[in-house]
Every structure is written in C-alpha cells, then in structure tokens.
Amino acid sequence: MKVDITYPPLGKQKQVKRKLIKAAGLVLLSAAVICPIVNIAVGGKAWSLIVLMGLYMVWTLVLSPDLVEYNRISQFIKLLLSSCLMLILIELFLAPGWAGVVVPIVGFGGLIVCAALFFSDMERQRQNMLPMLTLIFLAALGSAAGLLWLKPEVVWPMAVMGALSLALLISCIIALGRGFIRELHKRFHTK
C-alpha cells in the first residue's frame, strides 16, 4: 500500500515560527507559575492576578489566536473584553475608585469600533453578527449592573454605554431587516 502525502511539507520559516511559539509558551508558563509564588512569599496586594491576566492576553491574542473565529470583529471583541477584565482586576486588587468611569468609556469606544467594522461591509460581516450581538448584550448587561450598584456620580458613563448598546441593536435590526431573523436562525439552528 502506498500512502500519498497530501499536505505540503512545512517550510523552514513555519518550523522556526513553531519553535519560537513553543519557547514563548514555556516562558509564559514559567512566569504564570513563578508570579503567584513570589506574590504569596512577598505578601501585599494580589498583583500576580493582573500578571496572570496579562499573560493570558498575550497567549490568546498574539501567540495562539483562534482558528475558527479569526476575523477582525471577533478578535477586536476578544481584545476589548480582555482589556475590560484587566481594568476590573486592577480596580479590585490594586487601585480602587476609578473603574466605574474608565471601563464604560473603554466599552463605549469598543462598541463604536465594532459598529464601524460591522457596518463598513455588511455583506461579509453578516456572519459575524453573533459576536457583535454578544458584545451588545454584555455592554447592556454591564450598564444595567453599573446603574444599579455604582455611586450616583459615576452613573453617567454606564447610562451612555447602555444607550449606545440599545441603539446598535436597533441599528442592526433595521440594517439587516428580515436577514436579522434569518441569521439568528442560522446561528441557533434547532429542529
């Protein structure tokens, strides 16, 4: 029996890239193990959680990106959500008092960029409707939570982010028309 190799052999550049990613992964893994140990030994605030989140961001966004949902909207949303989570961790563990204003502003800017990416090429980006709707839902949910639990003087950024998320949802529904329901049926296929 003769076996034919259907895949082309890896080029030298791909082999070097694979080795570099493996080496970087080992460095990141070593740092992920060492940082919490050093933080526990030294004591003080939990800075190692912020370092671990940063290592996670570097791994998922740079060294090992998604294979399936690798498009500009999904990758930007992943960056945006990771950044907001990093800001919340910094607020909780290092420097409290500012994230109630900063996170909604970052979310607002992220919604604007995602809307520009989505509406710039509706035909091709129609398949990226689900990540966009997920971001809109998370922004509306975060806005509602912020309006309920934050101090009255920092409520305005949450209200603006919530209003923008509602406006983007309405814009998506109007722009796609019947295609909106059709795309939802494609994404949530049931018999």
Side-chain angles (χ1 to χ4, degrees), residues 90-108:
I90 292 171
E91 160 84 14
L92 291 174
F93 295 107
L94 292 181
W98 53 270
V101 175
V102 174
V103 172
I105 292 172
V106 171
F108 179 86

Side-chain angles (χ1 to χ4, degrees), residues 130-144:
L130 190 59
M132 180 76 175
L133 287 178
T134 303
L135 178 65
I136 289 171
F137 174 73
L138 288 174
L141 188 67
S143 175

Side-chain angles (χ1 to χ4, degrees), residues 69 71 73-74 77 118 122 124-136 169 172-173 176-188:
E69 285 289 329
N71 56 60
I73 290 179
S74 295
I77 290 172
F118 184 74
M122 287 279 295
R124 287 184 55 204
Q125 297 304 324
R126 204 176 271 240
Q127 64 192 6
N128 299 328
M129 187 180 81
L130 190 59
M132 180 76 175
L133 287 178
T134 303
L135 178 65
I136 289 171
L169 179 62
C172 283
I173 292 171
L176 292 174
R178 287 185 161 183
F180 183 81
I181 301 296
R182 224 174 302 125
E183 289 295 323
L184 282 180
H185 281 292
K186 286 181 190 175
R187 302 297 176 245
F188 300 106

